[in-house]
Amino acid sequence: MLRRALGLLPRPIAAARARSFSTDLPAAHTADATFMEAWNKVMPNMDPPKTPLSFMHPRPPTPSSIPPKLTVNFVLPYASELSTKEVDMVIVPATTGQMGVLPGHVATIAELKPGVLSVHEGSETTKYFVSSGFVFIHANSFADIIAVEAVPLDRIDANLVQKGLADFTQKLSSATTELEKAEAQIGIDVHSALNSALTG
C-alpha cells in the first residue's frame, strides 16, 4: 500500500527524500561560485551582498562520542542570558510537556509554553520563567533556547502575580470582542503559569 502511494507522488517530492540533512552538509559556508561570477560581471566595483549565512559561525562537527557537558545559548530579543555555557542539563517547558535535555540528546525543535526553564550545573540549579519561544537541540550537544520574555524565578513578586491574575480574569469576564477575550485569556494563561511556578 505504501509503495503504491509513493508511486502516486509527483517526482520532485519523491526525489526530495534523497536530499542531505543539514547535519550532513559541510560546517563551513561556501560561496556560490556561479552567483559570484554573475555578480562580478554586473557589479564589478561593488562587494556582493551578505546573506544570513555570512554572519553565522560554522557549525561544530558532531562528535564521535557524547561530550560530558551540554553547551547552551539562551537568548531574548534584547539580551543574552547564557552564551555557550556548559551545563549538565536543562529542563524546558515544551508545549508537549517538560523536556529534559542532556548531552547527546537527539536533534529536536520544540515550542516553549509559559513555564519554568531549569539550568542544572553541578549541584546548582538556576530557574527562569519563560513566556514562550523555541528550543533548538542540535546533534552536537548544543542547545539554543530563544524566548520572547524570561526572568529569573527569584525576581518575581508573588503579590503582583496574584493581582495580575485577578485583573485578567476580570477582563475576560467583561470582554465583548473576540480580540479582548483572546488577550485576556493569554494574560490568564501566563499569570496561571507564573503562579504555578512560584507555588510548585
Side-chain angles (χ1 to χ4, degrees), residues 14-156:
R17 291 187 308 141
R19 288 189 300 187
S20 301
F21 289 108
S22 64
T23 53
D24 299 330
L25 300 176
H29 171 60
T30 55
D32 183 0
T34 309
F35 173 78
M36 297 300 288
E37 186 179 318
W39 180 269
N40 287 330
K41 284 181 185 176
V42 176
M43 299 275 199
N45 298 328
M46 189 176 207
D47 290 336
K50 295 201 178 292
T51 63
L53 286 177
S54 305
F55 299 98
M56 297 174 133
H57 299 295
R59 183 186 69 253
T62 302
S64 57
S65 63
I66 296 175
K69 297 282 187 179
L70 175 72
T71 304
V72 177
N73 297 307
F74 177 28
V75 295
L76 307 171
Y78 52 85
S80 176
E81 289 291 324
L82 302 174
S83 180
T84 61
K85 184 165 181 69
E86 291 190 343
V87 300
D88 296 319
M89 175 178 69
V90 293
I91 300 175
V92 296
T95 53
T96 54
Q98 293 291 101
M99 183 169 70
V101 182
L102 294 164
H105 196 285
V106 66
T108 307
I109 298 173
E111 183 181 0
L112 301 178
K113 66 178 182 179
V116 177
L117 179 141
S118 304
V119 179
H120 300 263
E121 187 179 8
S123 60
E124 293 183 14
T125 302
T126 308
K127 295 185 177 185
Y128 298 87
F129 181 83
V130 294
S131 62
S132 61
F134 288 91
V135 59
F136 301 89
I137 303 161
H138 308 280
N140 55 5
S141 292
F142 273 67
D144 296 320
I145 303 166
I146 295 95
V148 174
E149 190 64 63
V151 63
L153 205 55
D154 57 5
R155 290 180 46 199
I156 298 172

Side-chain angles (χ1 to χ4, degrees), residues 156-176:
I156 298 172
D157 185 343
N159 294 327
L160 291 177
V161 171
Q162 293 294 332
K163 182 181 180 305
L165 185 56
D167 290 348
F168 279 107
T169 304
Q170 174 61 33
K171 285 181 183 178
L172 182 62
S173 63
S174 64
T176 56

Side-chain angles (χ1 to χ4, degrees), residues 1-11 14 17:
M1 180 84 128
L2 179 62
R3 287 183 188 161
R4 228 174 107 207
L6 286 175
L8 298 174
L9 291 174
R11 290 290 176 212
R17 291 187 308 141

